[in-house]
Amino acid sequence: MINFADYQTDEVLLINPPLIFKEGFRRPSVSIPLGFLYVATSLKKYTDKKVVLRDYIGHSKVKLDDRKNLGNVSEQDHYIGLSYNEIKKDLSDITIPKVVGISCSFLSHSFETIQTLVNIIKEISPQSKIILGGCGLIEEMHTLFNGVDVYFFGEGEERLPHLLNGQFVDGIRDSAGHSPVDGQTPPYLKGDILTKHSVLDYSLVDIEKYVYLNEQGAHSRFSRTPRSVSFITTRGCPYTCNYCMIHTVHGRSWRLYSTESIFQNLEALKNKYGVEHIHIEDDQFALKVPRFLEIIKKIQDLGMTWDPSNGLYVQHLKEEDINLMAKYGASTIKIAPETGSQRVIDDIIKGKPITIKKMRDIAKWSYNAGLFVTGFLIIGFPQETEEDIKLTLDFAKDLTEKYNVRWTVSIARPFPGTDLRDYCEKNDLLTDASVIEVLGATNLYNIKHKTFTLEYLQSVAKEIESTWIDAGALTEGASLVEL
Ligand code: SF4
C-alpha cells in the first residue's frame, strides 16, 4: 500500500516522455503537452516546491526521417524525442529528486518510452518514487508497467501538490493496482477551482521546438502554418457514446473555462510566442453557441486561425450559426455522425442525441457557407448489420458527392472503460489482442463479429474514403487533410 509520507518532498522532477508512432499509424502528430503544462504551471504558481522540468519530446537537430541513434525502434516507426542514451546522460548529470512524475497522455505512443524511462530512473536513483499520471491512464495500468510506484488518475493541478506534501490523495493506485479508498473517483476541477488553474505559463515549454516539429511534418492538423498549438476551452463531455472513453479521464460533466482566462491564454500565445493557429482539442467546443462564437471571434480578432480536433456536436446549430462560424474565420467544420443508420445512433451508440437528417442539413449549410466539411464514421459494432453498413455507405457517398464531405472511417475498437467493451466481454466477443493493441492499432478488428471480417470492413472504409479522393475535388483546405 502507499505510504503517503514517502512522497513528501521539496523538489519534484516532471518528465514528458518521447513518443513512438508505430508502422501503420497514418503519420506522427504532436503539439505542446497540455497536461504536463497545466500541472507544471500550477506547481510553480501555487507551491514553493522546486520543479525541474524535462520535456523529452522533440529534438532540436534530428529530422523526423532520421531514426538513427534514436530510441530502440524499427526503421518503420517514427520516434519523436531525445534518444534513450541522451536521456540517460541528461538524468545522470542532475540529482534526481525523491519524487519523479512522468506524464502519460498517449498510452499507445508512450508505452515503451515510459517503461524505458522508469528503468533509467530506477537504475540511477533506485530510492526515487515514480508517479505516472495523465489522461492516458487506464484501469489496467499496473499490469503494463514495472517500477512505477503510484498511478495517479484524474486531474493533478490540486491533488499532486497534496501528495507532494505527504497528504492523503484519493483516486490513486499503488504498483499492484490497490487503491487507498476502493472505488472512489477523484474529484474534478470545476467552478472557482478550475478558474484558479486556467491561465498557463507557456514559458515552461519550448514552443519553438514544437514549431520545428510541425515544420518537419509531425502535425497532421488543418493548420496552414507550423506556428500552431493545441488548446482547450472546456473539459469533459455530458454524452455517453458506447465507444468513448473520455469519461474515464474527465468524468461525465462538461466544465468550462471562463472566457477571460481563455482570452488571456490566446493573447499570450499570439503576442509573446507568435502563434498563428489554434487547434481546439475540446471534446465539446460548441455546445454553448454564444460562448463558442465569442471565442472564435476573439481568435479572428487576434489574427489567428483555428480548427477543431474532434467532431463538433452540431445537432443544435442553426444555419445562421454556421454562417457566423464562417464569418468569424472558420475554414473547416468536423461532424461526427459515426454512421448513416439512425438505428445505430439510437440503439447501439445510444448516448449522443443526433439525427441523420440534421447531419445532412449541417453538411449542406456548411458547404454553402464555404466551409470544408470533414466527418467521422465508425463501422464494425458487434450489433451492426450489413444493412446498417449499406446505409452508412450510401449516406457517406451522397454527402461527398453533394457537399464534398471528406470522411475518416474507423473500425470499432473496444476501448477500456467503455460500454462497447462491456458488451463484448459479456458476450465473449473480444479477440486476444492486448489493451495496448486495442488502443494503438488502427488496422486491427478486435471484435469477434458473426459476419464482419477485418478485410470486409477495410474494403468498406476504403470505398468511402476513396469516393472523396476520386472526386478530384482538392480544395485549398482539403489539400491539408491527413492522408
Ligand atoms: S459526444 Fe464525443 S466526447 Fe462525448 S461521449 Fe460521444 S464521442 Fe465521447
Side-chain angles (χ1 to χ4, degrees), residues 62-262:
V62 176
K63 294 197 183 295
L64 278 184
D65 283 341
D66 182 3
R67 298 179 189 104
K68 288 190 197 109
N69 301 320
L70 295 180
N72 300 322
V73 294
S74 79
E75 284 291 307
Q76 286 74 36
D77 299 336
H78 287 286
Y79 178 99
I80 301 186
L82 262 67
S83 71
Y84 296 144
N85 284 339
E86 287 170 311
I87 291 172
K88 193 167 181 178
K89 177 166 184 335
D90 180 54
L91 291 175
S92 301
D93 288 346
I94 62 172
T95 303
I96 296 179
K98 183 178 160 187
V99 179
V100 179
I102 301 179
S103 172
C104 174
S105 295
F106 306 99
L107 179 58
S108 57
H109 298 311
S110 56
F111 171 62
E112 290 168 42
T113 60
I114 288 173
Q115 184 59 63
T116 306
L117 271 171
V118 170
N119 296 344
I120 291 171
I121 292 162
K122 289 288 183 183
E123 185 188 326
I124 300 172
S125 178
Q127 69 285 358
S128 292
K129 294 288 184 191
I130 298 181
I131 303 170
L132 186 58
C135 60
L137 264 61
I138 58 171
E139 188 76 16
E140 299 87 342
M141 289 304 273
H142 63 282
T143 65
L144 304 176
F145 293 97
N146 291 313
V148 173
D149 297 289
V150 161
Y151 297 96
F152 194 102
F153 290 82
E155 295 162 333
E157 290 93 329
E158 283 280 305
R159 291 157 58 242
L160 184 58
H162 292 166
L163 184 58
L164 301 181
N165 286 335
Q167 295 166 349
F168 171 85
V169 173
D170 52 18
I172 62 175
R173 305 273 171 99
D174 67 12
S175 56
H178 297 131
S179 164
V181 184
D182 265 345
Q184 186 161 336
T185 316
Y188 298 102
L189 304 179
K190 54 187 175 194
D192 290 346
I193 304 292
L194 185 66
T195 302
K196 174 182 165 191
H197 298 285
S198 56
V199 177
L200 289 170
D201 180 353
Y202 289 103
S203 71
L204 300 179
V205 292
D206 181 356
I207 289 183
E208 288 306 316
K209 185 170 70 177
Y210 286 90
V211 170
Y212 173 82
L213 285 168
N214 291 349
E215 284 168 351
Q216 295 295 312
H219 208 288
S220 61
R221 320 295 200 188
F222 283 85
S223 169
R224 293 178 175 81
T225 165
R227 305 201 69 78
S228 163
V229 297
S230 289
F231 193 92
I232 56 170
T233 79
T234 63
R235 290 187 181 190
C237 172
Y239 299 118
T240 55
C241 301
N242 70 326
Y243 56 86
C244 180
M245 59 188 294
I246 187 65
H247 63 280
T248 64
V249 180
H250 290 306
R252 295 282 188 201
S253 62
W254 189 53
R255 294 162 291 132
L256 288 67
Y257 287 106
S258 67
T259 45
E260 293 75 24
S261 66
I262 292 166

Side-chain angles (χ1 to χ4, degrees), residues 319-339:
E319 187 169 10
E320 68 205 54
D321 300 324
I322 300 289
N323 290 335
L324 281 172
M325 274 181 71
K327 183 180 168 193
Y328 295 152
S331 56
T332 65
I333 183 169
K334 280 185 184 166
I335 58 174
E338 316 298 0
T339 174

